[in-house]
Amino acid sequence: MACYILTDNTRDRRYFKRVLVDPYFYETPSAIIHALGRLKKGQVVILDSSIRGFESAGLQTAQLIRQHDPDAQLIMISDNATMAARCFEAQIGLLDFIIKKELSPSFFDRLLRAIAKANLNLRRIFELRPIPIRLPDGATTRVFDLTRIVYFTTDSGSHHLFVHETNHLTRIRANLRDLESVHSNLYRVHASYVINIAFLHTYQPHDHALTMVTGHRIPVSRNYSVALRKALRWPSPYRGLPQPIY
């Protein structure tokens, strides 16, 4: 996963590039804040406490980031050990405060462990957070949690649908054609089925079928197979449930 790094130290950037998989560097607080403002919330951010001689620049940047993103995983690095107390007293929810120690192997070991923990925290956040969606139900609408919906199917001979949730079945008055516009994770795969692609386990194109993580096997018609294949090549940005395997 990408890491967004605030540092104006050329040497540090050179070492980070060798160790980190996907680093993005910014030399000023305004630059990194602007960049994060264009991304979805919940990013891994590494901040050098001192920027251009201002010892509290990293702390002040962390405070601004925290105001706008409660899910951001903030890691502070510093040459000054006395900054640790100031950072934790500020109650900005730092994941870790790491002394550089000339960028020793122990520093990078701790940094990589902090990044791994940050990514784990983000996965847990997204897994536990509901995603409310509003579905039509006749002349009114009803709110459901997308993270619990596996698929929809028609109620044969009626103008109703069944909403198949992980542990519940609900009947609503609606049409399948109206569902895809509700959320990008809802895909029509058959005249009688719409799936939540986040619950897709395997797709068997030769059998014209797919299997959900719940074990349900659902037919896939040729009319909708092209869109499904495209979706699997370009995964949905939605996070929080098992990703497609094919």
Side-chain angles (χ1 to χ4, degrees):
M1 185 174 179
C3 294
Y4 297 86
I5 305 171
L6 172 64
T7 181
D8 61 353
N9 189 307
T10 303
R11 181 205 61 173
D12 290 0
R13 290 200 300 271
R14 185 169 62 250
Y15 279 104
F16 283 141
K17 286 179 181 179
R18 295 178 185 176
V19 176
L20 303 182
V21 176
D22 200 8
Y24 292 86
F25 296 100
Y26 304 90
E27 295 188 11
T28 65
S30 60
I32 193 170
I33 289 171
H34 178 72
L36 292 172
R38 300 173 63 184
L39 301 170
K40 63 180 181 293
K41 296 184 186 300
Q43 300 293 341
V44 180
V45 183
I46 301 171
L47 304 165
D48 197 330
S49 67
S50 178
I51 299 295
R52 297 184 177 178
F54 294 97
E55 190 63 44
S56 299
L59 173 57
Q60 293 173 3
T61 305
Q63 291 171 321
L64 291 172
I65 293 172
R66 181 59 72 212
Q67 289 177 11
H68 299 284
D69 186 359
D71 297 333
Q73 302 295 298
L74 304 178
I75 302 169
M76 189 75 69
I77 61 176
S78 181
D79 289 315
N80 184 358
T82 63
M83 280 297 299
R86 292 181 58 187
C87 287
F88 286 107
E89 286 173 1
Q91 297 183 351
I92 51 175
L94 281 186
L95 179 64
D96 204 351
F97 183 98
I98 309 175
I99 302 300
K100 290 184 185 181
K101 295 181 180 178
E102 299 299 323
L103 301 183
S104 64
S106 62
F107 166 83
F108 283 110
D109 179 66
R110 181 165 172 177
L111 179 63
L112 291 174
R113 283 189 281 114
I115 293 172
K117 184 178 180 182
N119 288 324
L120 178 61
N121 288 345
L122 291 173
R123 284 196 296 271
R124 287 173 174 169
I125 288 170
F126 292 126
E127 285 170 2
L128 295 173
R129 178 167 296 161
I131 299 178
I133 59 171
R134 190 172 291 276
L135 299 178
D137 187 13
T140 184
T141 59
R142 294 178 62 178
V143 176
F144 289 81
D145 179 4
L146 180 64
T147 65
R148 304 186 67 84
I149 296 175
V150 183
Y151 67 98
F152 301 82
T153 188
T154 56
D155 182 6
S156 180
S158 75
H159 296 288
H160 290 80
L161 304 178
F162 286 117
V163 185
H164 295 258
E165 298 178 86
T166 53
N167 59 353
H168 192 68
L169 182 66
T170 305
R171 189 169 180 259
I172 61 174
R173 186 177 179 85
N175 295 310
L176 285 180
R177 64 175 177 269
D178 299 328
L179 298 181
E180 288 183 281
S181 61
V182 173
H183 194 277
S184 60
N185 261 57
L186 300 182
Y187 276 83
R188 185 86 173 262
V189 297
H190 188 273
S192 300
Y193 290 88
V194 166
I195 68 166
N196 180 354
I197 201 169
F199 278 93
L200 176 60
H201 178 53
T202 57
Y203 171 41
Q204 304 88 32
H206 297 297
D207 297 333
H208 306 293
L210 56 83
T211 304
M212 309 301 281
V213 296
T214 54
H216 294 95
R217 187 172 171 85
I218 294 174
V220 178
S221 67
R222 294 182 185 275
N223 292 339
Y224 300 103
S225 61
V226 174
L228 180 61
R229 288 172 181 269
K230 183 178 180 181
L232 295 177
R233 287 196 299 269
W234 300 97
S236 167
Y238 168 62
R239 303 169 61 187
L241 289 171
Q243 294 300 305
I245 303 172
Y246 58 97

